[in-house]
Amino acid sequence: RIAYVNGRYVRHAEAAVHVEDRGYQFADGVYEVCEIRDGFLTDERRHIDRLIRSLAELRIRMPMSRAALGVVLREVVRRNHVRDGLVYLQITRGVAPRNHPFPSPETEPALVVTAKSVPRSVHDHSAETGIAVITLPDNRWDRVDIKTVGLLPNVLAKQAARDAGVYEAWLYDADGNVTEGSSTNAWIVTADGTLVTRPAEHGILRGITRTVLMEVAARLGVKVEERKFSVEEAKRAREAFITGATTIVTPVVKIDDQVIGNGAPGSVATALRKAFHDSAE
Ligand code: PDD
């Protein structure tokens, strides 16, 4: 495997950043994960748009032009011979002696890109059986719309899910409303077949898969309501599912101890999953 690290393509086993990289010391950086399908990056343009927004919110410079970044991404995918899988890109504020304020403006942001193959069968399997989720209080900061590498609460929530023997943890706010999953957006389907997902304000990440799915729904004539929904409403929903670059659309068949619908993937989520890549770019 090959990784890109600050201007060089290096063997993955030897790909390293400096101990004083601010990503390492302060989680002072942002990232993107993009699906690779048939050798192409799904919705690359939207991922780069979101990356540029995350960087701007944190006042980190783009280390290279958008076009050059596209070349690096595709080169890492090519050098790793990835047909189906994921590309990971991370930009931090760079390397400087540890000190909380921003380093001098000449400090170069650090860019790392990796890619890995993930056989389609892995996700197709969970989509066919459906997944279970647990619910946990959302204890993250109030700017989770910025895709920062500061993911400790997400890591702990995901591990709690694994410890409970399930795939994902749905987080809920102080009012008992679902925000999102630890690495996915959360959706339910109401009795009349309407999709419901939380509005993308500062309280969730505006998932690219979420945005594209709204277009898929419009094309299929499925109504979408962006509004808050509670854990209780989710447990009574006709269907539930998650979206994200790593899972696309994956049905949720159990929330805590509550079986959703008849415990099998719902027809709406299944249809959306099938139609997804016709709307993705
Ligand atoms: N996670 N919400 C959170 C907290 C996420 O971390 C992600 C993505 C999403 C879905 O966003 P998108 O549809 O753009 O992938 C929602 C990535 C895949 C990760 O951290 O691995």
Side-chain angles (χ1 to χ4, degrees):
R1 286 178 68 194
I2 299 292
Y4 174 94
V5 184
N6 294 325
R8 292 194 177 82
Y9 296 93
V10 296
R11 290 222 301 277
H12 187 269
E14 281 139 37
V17 294
H18 196 273
V19 290
E20 295 215 276
D21 186 284
R22 290 180 62 96
Y24 182 59
Q25 291 180 330
F26 295 117
D28 190 359
V30 302
Y31 76 105
E32 281 293 328
V33 178
C34 188
E35 184 200 35
I36 307 161
R37 196 174 159 91
D38 289 327
F40 290 95
L41 278 74
T42 304
D43 295 305
E44 177 182 337
R45 182 181 57 83
R46 287 181 155 117
H47 280 278
I48 304 303
D49 285 347
R50 184 171 66 185
L51 174 74
I52 289 170
R53 175 181 182 276
S54 294
L55 290 169
E57 291 292 327
L58 300 180
R59 294 193 280 147
I60 299 174
R61 243 182 322 125
M62 258 290 259
M64 58 177 66
S65 71
R66 195 181 166 118
L69 185 58
V71 169
V72 171
L73 290 173
R74 281 183 292 278
E75 186 61 12
V76 172
V77 171
R78 191 186 69 78
R79 289 191 189 220
N80 287 284
H81 312 290
V82 180
R83 236 186 101 70
D84 294 310
L86 298 169
V87 62
Y88 176 83
L89 110 74
Q90 174 175 310
I91 297 173
T92 70
R93 206 180 301 275
V95 175
R98 185 179 183 279
N99 200 8
H100 287 67
F102 293 174
S104 72
E106 306 85 74
T107 307
E108 286 293 329
L111 168 64
V112 167
V113 180
T114 60
K116 68 171 179 186
S117 295
V118 183
R120 279 191 204 179
S121 54
V122 174
H123 299 300
D124 287 349
H125 176 75
S126 30
E128 279 156 24
T129 54
I131 57 145
V133 303
I134 55 168
T135 60
L136 292 173
D138 191 339
N139 56 9
R140 299 174 300 165
W141 73 327
D142 60 3
R143 288 307 308 275
V144 297
D145 57 306
I146 308 171
K147 200 161 173 57
T148 83
V149 294
L151 292 174
L152 192 49
N154 308 61
V155 166
L156 295 177
K158 189 73 100 182
Q159 186 56 38
R162 289 295 188 275
D163 291 344
V166 304
Y167 179 78
E168 181 59 301
W170 275 13
L171 310 175
Y172 56 84
D173 64 18
D175 301 320
N177 292 316
V178 175
T179 53
E180 61 183 332
S182 70
S183 66
T184 55
N185 287 118
W187 302 69
I188 57 171
V189 182
T190 63
D192 72 355
T194 303
L195 306 185
V196 180
T197 197
R198 190 180 175 103
E201 291 150 359
H202 287 182
I204 66 164
L205 181 76
R206 186 189 289 269
I208 306 299
T209 320
R210 174 187 179 280
T211 300
V212 174
L213 195 70
M214 291 192 177
E215 296 176 8
V216 176
R219 192 158 50 75
L220 299 183
V222 177
K223 215 176 122 207
V224 180
E225 262 175 41
E226 278 186 274
R227 65 164 171 85
K228 292 179 181 176
F229 62 91
S230 67
V231 171
E232 287 319 307
E233 181 179 3
K235 288 181 178 175
R236 286 182 274 106
R238 182 167 124 191
E239 294 183 30
F241 61 91
I242 56 171
T243 58
T246 52
T247 48
I248 307 302
V249 177
T250 300
V252 171
V253 295
K254 202 174 178 197
I255 302 173
D256 294 327
D257 288 326
Q258 179 65 53
V259 171
I260 306 304
N262 62 3
S267 56
V268 176
T270 304
L272 291 168
R273 180 181 176 84
K274 287 215 174 70
F276 183 84
H277 284 98
D278 301 334
S279 276
E281 284 172 13

